[in-house]
Amino acid sequence: MSCSICRLPFIPGPYSSDPLPEHFPPKGIMSPTVDTYFTRSVGMGLPEIQTVTATFDYCSNNFFCCYDGHRVANLMWESPFGFGNTVFMTHTSCANMFFHVLGAKDKETNESMTLIAQAMGVLGRPLAGQDPGRVRNVRYEAVGEQIDLRPFWSPGSQPGGDVFNWKALSQSKYNFLVVRPFIFPRLLDVAPSRTAHFRNVEFNNQDKFTTLPLDILQILLPYLPMVSYLSLVSTCRFLRLHALTTFQPNARRLVLDIPWSLPLPADLSLMSPSMAAKVPDREKTPHTADWLLYLSHIHCTNSMRTRRWIWALAESIKDTYLAQLATSPVMEPATHEYKVLHDALERAFELAGMEPTPAGECETQVVAVAY
């Protein structure tokens, strides 16, 4: 069973009663914390998920299970009767990124629940068969780093029984994917050692650029894209020193312009308290911290590389949804699809203890997402 966003598999969790051995990765492939991450999932879409979204554990044998403290509810993933469908299931971090990209940052509100349900209705249920879990019309292999995971999947002996070759992945060029994509580099103050070799250095600036007043340079810097800025501050010791000191707010601006570079509020819930205390904060972390070093680190770690790829996939799925929105029967009030979706949505509001959305207000306007 694969995540409908990243197409990586799930691992059977603690509520699995009789999991298939082939659904577990070989020992040594991943740490226990990474193993736990791959057992958890978020399902979305009406009417399969009665509350629009819900958290599950993978149980192998074509089932996900949801435990509320009193009972376990099972959800069949792949339809076994030739319908060619699966349920839209994702890893928790993939879901957080997708909700944010979609514009449903707080999925507990009427507006966000409506938007998610509408997106799932427009996209349709993911594929079964040879490409189980894949969202229709999304070109996964053309997104970001153009990663093709299809060679690592092989058919199973039953619906939902497809097997992923973890060992082959760990030995391939895609082995960086065996991580949790919410592990961020630490953002610290500028270490004294980073500026030590600039002490007692006299700068004999004679070119037209470095002889400009610093306030003029700071006006010009925001017009430079990231690659140009990094090339510029690498040209001489004078600019390098200011990149580590005076120009750190500009490095911060470059970080904030990258949507996947900082943790989302939902990411913090996946972290331990000690881990959450060390990650950068958009508002609280000082502008004078070593944002330049952080800008480098987010392009170096496996976790952030994977996060960038997943974010691009979430964007691609959103683009597919928007491209199909205008012609989808889900958006036509006279259609059966529209009625089924909105009847299920009203029931979801009731289950969540929310006031039903007034008639005529269920349609969600498409707005630009502010990262």
Side-chain angles (χ1 to χ4, degrees):
M1 297 191 194
S2 71
C3 169
S4 288
I5 295 177
C6 73
R7 302 281 288 118
L8 287 167
F10 297 95
I11 296 173
Y15 302 118
S16 305
S17 59
D18 188 23
L20 299 176
E22 59 266 30
H23 284 169
F24 290 93
K27 290 184 178 180
I29 296 293
M30 60 182 66
S31 68
T33 52
V34 175
D35 187 299
T36 300
Y37 169 74
F38 280 102
T39 68
R40 301 285 164 79
S41 64
V42 175
M44 58 189 86
L46 294 168
E48 296 80 22
I49 312 297
Q50 294 183 350
T51 53
V52 183
T53 68
T55 302
F56 294 84
D57 274 11
Y58 176 45
C59 292
S60 191
N61 292 301
N62 201 27
F63 281 96
F64 287 84
C65 58
C66 182
Y67 180 62
D68 64 2
H70 302 285
R71 61 188 182 278
V72 175
N74 288 325
L75 175 70
M76 183 180 293
W77 182 65
E78 181 175 347
S79 302
F81 306 116
F83 297 134
N85 296 322
T86 55
V87 180
F88 197 107
M89 304 296 291
T90 73
H91 300 113
T92 49
S93 193
C94 295
N96 292 339
M97 286 185 257
F98 178 66
F99 292 148
H100 190 91
V101 165
L102 189 63
K105 301 177 186 179
D106 183 359
K107 65 179 186 295
E108 307 301 331
T109 64
N110 285 44
E111 294 78 10
S112 291
M113 288 177 66
T114 301
L115 179 56
I116 296 167
Q118 176 181 285
M120 295 297 102
V122 170
L123 290 167
R125 291 184 64 178
L127 294 168
Q130 293 183 342
D131 277 318
R134 188 184 182 103
V135 178
R136 303 165 196 270
N137 302 318
V138 175
R139 299 176 61 202
Y140 288 84
E141 295 75 32
V143 175
E145 296 194 37
Q146 302 181 352
I147 296 173
D148 187 356
L149 295 178
R150 290 174 296 184
F152 300 100
W153 285 100
S154 58
S157 58
Q158 61 188 46
D162 299 75
V163 177
F164 188 80
N165 193 333
W166 282 105
K167 183 176 181 180
L169 180 72
S170 69
Q171 296 172 347
S172 74
K173 62 181 179 180
Y174 303 139
N175 59 4
F176 65 91
L177 296 175
V178 189
V179 294
R180 295 173 293 167
F182 56 86
I183 306 300
F184 293 82
R186 295 182 65 182
L187 178 52
L188 306 172
D189 292 334
V190 180
S193 59
R194 297 258 286 156
T195 59
H197 57 289
F198 296 113
R199 295 171 187 166
N200 303 319
V201 174
E202 293 186 6
F203 299 107
N204 185 25
N205 298 334
Q206 297 180 355
D207 61 275
K208 293 183 179 179
F209 192 83
T210 57
T211 53
L212 289 172
L214 279 178
D215 54 349
I216 300 297
L217 290 177
Q218 290 177 311
I219 292 173
L220 296 175
L221 293 180
Y223 292 95
L224 297 177
M226 179 177 65
V227 174
S228 299
Y229 174 74
L230 295 177
S231 297
L232 174 68
V233 298
S234 300
T235 56
C236 67
R237 289 183 296 175
F238 173 79
L239 291 175
R240 183 67 178 171
L241 173 62
H242 283 290
L244 293 170
T245 53
T246 317
F247 298 161
Q248 285 289 1
N250 190 68
R252 175 182 179 273
R253 177 190 62 80
L254 292 171
V255 169
L256 297 185
D257 284 345
I258 301 172
W260 47 266
S261 64
L262 294 175
L264 303 172
D267 290 322
L268 300 177
S269 65
L270 302 176
M271 304 177 187
S272 66
S274 60
M275 183 190 300
K278 296 175 183 177
V279 299
D281 184 277
R282 180 181 293 266
E283 304 297 334
K284 297 179 181 178
T285 304
H287 292 207
T288 54
D290 202 342
W291 291 93
L292 184 66
L293 184 61
Y294 185 81
L295 183 63
S296 171
H297 283 174
I298 61 174
H299 290 90
C300 296
T301 69
N302 288 343
S303 180
M304 297 302 287
R305 183 181 179 184
T306 302
R307 183 177 181 84
R308 177 177 59 186
W309 169 66
I310 294 173
W311 195 284
L313 288 169
E315 291 273 14
S316 182
I317 294 173
K318 174 196 170 185
D319 291 344
T320 302
Y321 153 63
L322 294 179
Q324 299 175 177
L325 184 63
T327 57
S328 173
V330 169
M331 302 304 297
E332 293 293 334
T335 63
H336 173 71
E337 291 84 350
Y338 178 95
K339 185 177 187 305
V340 168
L341 176 66
H342 289 277
D343 286 350
L345 190 55
E346 294 303 319
R347 290 195 296 273
F349 290 149
E350 293 176 8
L351 288 171
M354 297 179 176
E355 290 293 328
T357 302
E361 294 185 10
C362 281
E363 288 72 26
T364 303
Q365 294 183 350
V366 178
V367 296
V369 180
Y371 295 115

